[in-house]
Amino acid sequence: MADEKPPSDLPPAAAEVKKAAPHGALHGGPSLLVGSISLKPSEPIVATPHIQVEVKPLTQEDLERYWTEAGLELGISDLLRCASVKLGEQNHTFEVVAQTTYFDDEFKPYKMNVLEKMRKQTGMQMLDCKVIPLYISKDALPYSADDKYKAMFEHNHKIADLAKIFPNIDM
């Protein structure tokens, strides 16, 4: 069997593989495994050169325009009006200042679509945004009994008389 020539219709790599004796031929029985291995040479991988496109710096006016255009194209302009955009500290980021605390949750499903639109418009493939919810600061409300009493006493000094009349009330 070692003197057999491989068939000429196989590729050159497969022609080098020697055909082994069938499993059953060694033991005098029927063959269970029959087949051949064919190896095709693979195409060499050629790296495509990356062309560096010069991207102009992003301005605040352009950022606002792209933000509005992305909202119009995606049909979410009402949502995007609930936030304003401003350039970030880094060159490839911008900040989305949300005017409601719910904006981040509402914006999440659309974030990647908006970023893809804006990346195409700006030519910046690494453009990213950070959502900053705008919290309206309010005066802290008193929570302990003493704090409540002091806050009420500042507004109405007669509460001291009430505390004298009802000494067992937790103030």
Side-chain angles (χ1 to χ4, degrees), residues 4-20 35-42:
E4 286 184 19
K5 279 190 151 184
S8 61
D9 60 327
L10 291 177
E16 296 174 9
V17 177
K18 293 183 181 178
K19 191 171 184 180
S36 64
I37 299 174
S38 121
L39 300 174
K40 295 181 181 178
S42 63

Side-chain angles (χ1 to χ4, degrees), residues 54-73:
E54 208 166 305
V55 178
K56 69 176 187 171
L58 189 60
T59 63
Q60 182 67 31
E61 293 82 24
D62 288 339
L63 179 64
E64 290 172 2
R65 182 170 42 94
Y66 296 148
W67 178 256
T68 305
E69 288 173 5
L72 291 172
E73 287 181 32

Side-chain angles (χ1 to χ4, degrees), residues 5-161:
K5 279 190 151 184
S8 61
D9 60 327
L10 291 177
E16 296 174 9
V17 177
K18 293 183 181 178
K19 191 171 184 180
H23 178 66
L26 296 175
H27 304 292
S31 172
L32 296 177
L33 300 173
V34 178
S36 64
I37 299 174
S38 121
L39 300 174
K40 295 181 181 178
S42 63
E43 295 290 324
I45 298 173
V46 178
T48 56
H50 294 285
I51 300 172
Q52 290 289 342
V53 177
E54 208 166 305
V55 178
K56 69 176 187 171
L58 189 60
T59 63
Q60 182 67 31
E61 293 82 24
D62 288 339
L63 179 64
E64 290 172 2
R65 182 170 42 94
Y66 296 148
W67 178 256
T68 305
E69 288 173 5
L72 291 172
E73 287 181 32
L74 296 171
I76 55 171
S77 57
D78 291 338
L79 174 65
L80 297 190
R81 275 192 219 122
C82 294
S84 60
V85 290
K86 67 178 187 175
L87 293 173
E89 294 176 12
Q90 298 176 347
N91 192 20
H92 61 278
T93 61
F94 64 95
E95 296 174 352
V96 179
V97 180
Q99 298 181 9
T100 64
T101 54
Y102 300 108
F103 177 82
D104 192 26
D105 292 332
E106 294 173 7
F107 180 61
K108 273 184 187 175
Y110 305 106
K111 182 178 180 178
M112 289 311 298
N113 293 336
V114 169
L115 283 174
E116 286 300 317
K117 294 277 183 197
M118 293 181 73
R119 286 173 183 159
K120 287 178 185 174
Q121 292 171 323
T122 61
M124 302 171 95
Q125 295 303 316
M126 298 302 291
L127 186 66
D128 197 12
C129 70
K130 182 169 93 170
V131 177
I132 301 172
L134 181 66
Y135 293 107
I136 300 171
S137 63
K138 294 182 180 178
D139 293 334
L141 298 175
Y143 288 102
S144 70
D146 289 336
D147 290 340
K148 287 180 184 179
Y149 177 77
K150 289 176 186 176
M152 287 189 291
F153 184 75
E154 287 177 9
H155 291 287
N156 188 356
H157 293 290
K158 291 185 180 184
I159 195 116
D161 296 335

